[in-house]
């Protein structure tokens, strides 16, 4: 099961002139996830040099279709309009739990 969307969107700069938008819990996690998606950046802009993760915003933004096209998560690349629609349709309690469903957890008897 994929974790619920959080709408914590970081702008990670690759090669100091292209930004991609990453959903993450922290700037450090955003940069790690960005490394996975560097092949999605059009390297023609960089004259066939390697695309590298360079820097990251310190604080997240929210998904915004006015200037974002794609949101990259740990699991997938999502068009921003689809991301917003999916985020808004989620159960807020599931988002708060981070996707954990406690109803199927193993119950262990307490020791006496």
């Amino acid at each position: 099961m994929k974790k619920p969307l959080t709408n914590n969107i970081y702008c990670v700069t690759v090669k100091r002139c292209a930004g991609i938008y990453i959903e993450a819990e922290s700037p450090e996690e955003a940069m790690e996830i960005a490394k996975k998606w560097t092949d999605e950046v059009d390297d023609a802009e960089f004259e066939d040099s390697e695309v590298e993760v360079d820097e990251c915003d310190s604080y997240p933004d929210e998904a915004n279709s006015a200037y974002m096209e794609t949101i990259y998560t740990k699991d997938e690349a999502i068009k921003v309009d689809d991301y917003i629609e999916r985020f808004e349709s989620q159960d807020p309690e599931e988002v708060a739990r981070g996707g954990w469903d406690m109803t199927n957890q193993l119950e262990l008897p307490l020791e006496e």
Side-chain angles (χ1 to χ4, degrees), residues 14-18 37-54:
V14 290
K15 281 291 194 184
R16 299 181 190 260
C17 62
W37 293 103
T38 56
D39 289 341
E40 297 292 317
V41 177
D42 181 9
D43 63 356
E45 295 179 43
F46 308 120
E47 299 176 3
D48 297 322
S49 64
E50 290 292 317
V51 176
E52 297 175 8
V53 174
D54 185 50

Side-chain angles (χ1 to χ4, degrees), residues 92-109:
E93 289 184 22
E94 181 181 346
V95 174
R97 290 192 312 267
W100 280 98
D101 181 1
M102 297 305 285
T103 61
N104 63 3
Q105 299 300 307
L106 177 64
E107 291 185 26
L108 298 175

Side-chain angles (χ1 to χ4, degrees), residues 6-11 20-24 30 57 59-64 68 70-73 83:
T6 62
N7 208 12
N8 289 332
I9 310 299
Y10 289 89
C11 180
I20 60 175
Y21 297 96
I22 306 291
E23 179 193 67
D57 288 348
Y59 300 97
D61 202 351
E62 292 184 350
N64 183 330
M68 297 176 188
T70 304
I71 304 292
Y72 297 92
T73 71
Y83 179 94

Side-chain angles (χ1 to χ4, degrees), residues 13 24 26 43 56 58 66 69 81 88 90:
T13 301
S26 68
D43 63 356
C56 181
S58 297
E69 290 182 19
D81 290 332
E88 290 175 348
Q90 293 180 133

